[in-house]
Amino acid sequence: MATGKIRYWAAAKEAAGVAEETYEAVTLGELMTKITQNRADLAHVVRRCSFLVDGSPVGKRPHDDVVLGDGATVEVLPPFAGG
């Protein structure tokens, strides 16, 4: 099981109640399940978010297919207003 850091931005940070936290998960899908358990506000926000894993966009890949390496940093990016 990989360990790493997840960083929340904007509305995701507000919903999570923290700017970052550590995690243990094998895939991004598993991580999303863990972080949204008993956190309804965060679950609602992350449905609209995009994700970076070590700076690389996840895009439309299924989250269960995105394997997290040990020490990976996951960025949770809600849609931003403006241009």
Side-chain angles (χ1 to χ4, degrees):
M1 176 145 328
T3 60
K5 177 173 34 179
I6 184 166
R7 293 182 183 153
Y8 303 102
W9 297 96
K13 178 180 172 182
E14 184 176 327
V18 296
E20 65 181 52
E21 58 190 341
T22 59
Y23 70 82
E24 289 186 8
V26 174
T27 66
L28 182 58
E30 179 184 357
L31 177 57
M32 292 300 103
T33 298
K34 286 182 173 187
I35 66 165
T36 58
Q37 189 172 20
N38 301 317
R39 292 164 114 176
D41 290 342
L42 184 57
H44 179 73
V45 171
V46 298
R47 283 187 218 120
R48 301 184 321 259
C49 290
S50 57
F51 303 91
L52 300 175
V53 176
D54 287 335
S56 296
V58 169
K60 297 188 183 285
R61 289 182 287 161
H63 293 167
D64 288 334
D65 291 349
V66 180
V67 176
L68 303 172
D70 203 36
T73 298
V74 177
E75 310 274 352
V76 183
L77 306 169
F80 292 95

